[in-house]
Amino acid sequence: MGEYRPQTLNEKSSLMEQVLERNNLIQALKQVTRNKGAAGIDGMQIDELPAYLKDNWLIIKERIETGRYQPQAVLRVEIPKPNGGKRKLGIPTVIDRLIQQAITQVLSPIFEAQFHPHSYGFRPKRNAQQAIYHVQREIKQGRSWVVDLDLEAFFDRVNHDRLMQRLKADIKAPDLLRLINRYLKAGIRIKGQEKKTTEGVPQGSPLSPLLSNIVLNELDWELEKRGHTFARYADDCQIYVCSQRAGERVKQSISEFIDKILRLKVNENKSAVARPWERKFLGFTFSARRGHKIKVSDTALEKLKATVRQLCRRTRGHSVFQIIAELRKSLLGWKAYFGIAEIQSPQRDLEKWIRRKLRCYIWKQWGRSGYRKLRRHGVARQLAWNTAKSAHGPWRLSASPALYYALPNKYFRSLGLPGLVT
């Protein structure tokens, strides 16, 4: 959300003045630059923004202050999902990303005081790991059934009228509300064609996480009012109960609330009442045995495997040093997120698989010089000859004694390949 903290509502400056205040804008620029991201419909890149602001910011600021600023449409792109579907992302222009970030930094502290303690997504000093620890505690206390709710196309279905009503209840700033509404109505550009937006918030804009939490905060406090235990991270929500019968009842009543009150839709095909260890939440699941230890979900493991396969493609033609440097970034990020897992045998198996992929990659690179390379790495003459002349393919040979001897685990550690377990 950024480090800047705006003045309190009791001070004389209006919210719009706080948004356009110099220090707030500087912090917003730093955050947008850190987040990087692709260009919007105008083609402007992040590194072009400072120079553009130097020449044009006074004009843009004057338009915002006089209510004449009109945000540009959001560029719609589709990102493939591991399950074969596509995630729709909206990319605002870098100028609009800057302004939205500045708005978010001012509004976030106002709404943060209202948000439920069991909402963990896109909030300061809150994260997915805290949500998982909370869930584990509830399961250990006997709430061994979960109502797993999937909100169908949440970011595309947010009702603008209800959202603006929620904002108006807490923000007495017509000029800022007008600007936010214009962002909601800015439209999207899909394959060169612009389309009006009558509902939804673009997934990918700096303002959307805050707006989504404002929308779903109503759900959080309704669950609290009904005495339910839950954890929510953005639009991922799970409710924990003590029996399947209670779960079915809760699922039915909360689905009606979401439909009739929030005007959103629960995806029945992806929602379920089940045991927590039969479902995944934020990339994790739990063991079925007593203690209900935290595990990395099979889906998350397969997703990392797909990343490794992509980086280790033979056609890339990179040296193993380059491959490991790229792998290092992905693996360290993955470990930082999934490092809380208490059952680590799947990660150890994955480590072995990654090293085997690298041995396979190196063997392919060696090609016809395989025998000489094996000998150079200390492999006995006969073993090196039999391996080099084997009819087996690279993947089979990547698990051979010769390659294990020539390329031991310590070799990959020396190149900077990190492990996945502590």
Side-chain angles (χ1 to χ4, degrees), residues 120-139:
Y120 295 92
F122 307 114
R123 296 180 59 189
K125 300 180 181 179
R126 289 177 174 269
N127 55 46
Q129 290 82 356
Q130 292 171 341
I132 295 302
Y133 284 133
H134 165 63
V135 167
Q136 185 185 42
R137 287 192 296 270
E138 296 303 329
I139 296 171

Side-chain angles (χ1 to χ4, degrees), residues 33-52:
T33 303
R34 270 196 298 268
N35 292 342
K36 300 181 181 179
I41 65 170
D42 62 355
M44 186 186 300
Q45 302 290 339
I46 287 290
D47 56 6
E48 300 175 77
L49 182 56
Y52 181 86

Side-chain angles (χ1 to χ4, degrees), residues 223-339:
L223 292 171
E224 173 77 18
K225 176 183 171 184
R226 298 185 186 194
H228 297 317
T229 296
F230 70 96
R232 183 178 67 78
Y233 190 101
D235 58 331
D236 288 329
C237 182
Q238 291 194 340
I239 308 166
Y240 297 88
V241 295
C242 296
S243 69
Q244 183 177 13
R245 184 177 179 182
E248 297 290 353
R249 185 175 65 251
V250 169
K251 180 174 177 289
Q252 178 64 31
S253 62
I254 292 300
S255 294
E256 290 177 3
F257 174 83
I258 291 171
D259 179 41
K260 295 178 181 178
I261 304 300
L262 299 185
R263 301 183 194 176
L264 296 168
K265 185 175 177 58
V266 172
N267 187 331
E268 292 294 335
N269 293 329
K270 294 184 178 181
S271 301
V273 175
R275 295 291 197 178
W277 42 91
E278 297 171 345
R279 307 294 290 183
K280 57 183 174 61
F281 185 49
L282 304 178
F284 294 91
T285 186
F286 301 89
S287 64
R289 295 182 179 181
R290 186 177 180 180
H292 305 300
K293 293 184 177 181
I294 300 169
K295 294 173 57 179
V296 179
S297 72
D298 291 342
T299 303
L301 293 168
E302 284 302 319
K303 188 175 180 180
L304 180 58
K305 274 191 170 186
T307 299
V308 174
R309 288 190 188 99
Q310 181 73 10
L311 292 176
C312 292
R313 291 195 329 272
R314 182 184 182 185
T315 53
R316 300 187 73 212
H318 291 179
S319 70
V320 68
F321 306 105
Q322 290 175 289
I323 297 297
I324 288 180
E326 294 177 10
L327 275 175
R328 181 177 175 82
K329 295 178 182 178
S330 296
L331 298 182
L332 288 176
W334 196 91
K335 184 179 178 180
Y337 183 85
F338 289 105

Side-chain angles (χ1 to χ4, degrees), residues 8-206:
T8 65
L9 290 178
N10 294 327
E11 293 176 328
K12 292 183 179 180
S13 60
S14 70
L15 288 179
M16 184 64 88
E17 288 173 337
Q18 292 179 37
V19 168
L20 299 176
E21 195 267 330
R22 178 179 173 80
N23 289 336
N24 187 44
L25 291 168
I26 290 173
Q27 183 61 39
L29 179 59
K30 289 179 180 178
Q31 186 64 41
V32 169
T33 303
R34 270 196 298 268
N35 292 342
K36 300 181 181 179
I41 65 170
D42 62 355
M44 186 186 300
Q45 302 290 339
I46 287 290
D47 56 6
E48 300 175 77
L49 182 56
Y52 181 86
L53 291 174
K54 187 175 180 180
D55 295 334
N56 297 277
W57 175 246
L58 291 179
I59 297 173
I60 295 171
K61 181 182 178 184
E62 192 268 338
R63 287 176 180 169
I64 294 173
E65 290 173 331
T66 57
R68 294 185 295 114
Y69 182 78
Q70 185 60 52
Q72 296 189 68
V74 169
L75 179 64
R76 168 62 58 83
V77 296
E78 295 184 342
I79 307 298
K81 289 183 177 180
N83 61 7
K86 291 186 177 180
R87 184 185 305 279
K88 297 177 181 178
L89 294 181
I91 305 177
T93 65
V94 291
I95 290 294
D96 285 324
R97 296 213 288 272
L98 172 72
I99 298 169
Q100 287 191 39
Q101 180 63 34
I103 295 172
T104 300
Q105 290 169 183
V106 169
L107 295 189
S108 179
I110 297 172
F111 287 97
E112 183 62 28
Q114 304 176 20
F115 289 155
H116 196 281
H118 295 160
S119 164
Y120 295 92
F122 307 114
R123 296 180 59 189
K125 300 180 181 179
R126 289 177 174 269
N127 55 46
Q129 290 82 356
Q130 292 171 341
I132 295 302
Y133 284 133
H134 165 63
V135 167
Q136 185 185 42
R137 287 192 296 270
E138 296 303 329
I139 296 171
K140 286 182 176 180
Q141 290 176 11
R143 294 181 176 87
S144 57
W145 288 86
V146 60
V147 182
D148 191 355
L149 295 176
D150 183 272
L151 299 181
E152 188 174 289
F154 167 74
F155 285 93
D156 291 333
R157 290 180 178 270
V158 169
N159 184 278
H160 287 177
D161 291 338
R162 291 204 85 258
L163 173 56
M164 292 307 300
Q165 287 174 6
R166 302 299 300 177
L167 290 171
K168 288 176 183 177
D170 294 283
I171 301 174
K172 309 305 178 185
D175 51 354
L176 183 54
L177 290 169
R178 188 183 309 114
L179 180 58
I180 293 173
N181 192 51
R182 284 182 180 175
Y183 274 116
L184 294 175
K185 307 292 186 186
I188 57 175
R189 181 177 292 182
I190 307 174
K191 297 179 180 178
Q193 300 293 319
E194 289 200 15
K195 179 182 176 183
K196 292 182 178 180
T197 44
T198 57
E199 61 180 1
V201 293
Q203 189 174 2
S205 74

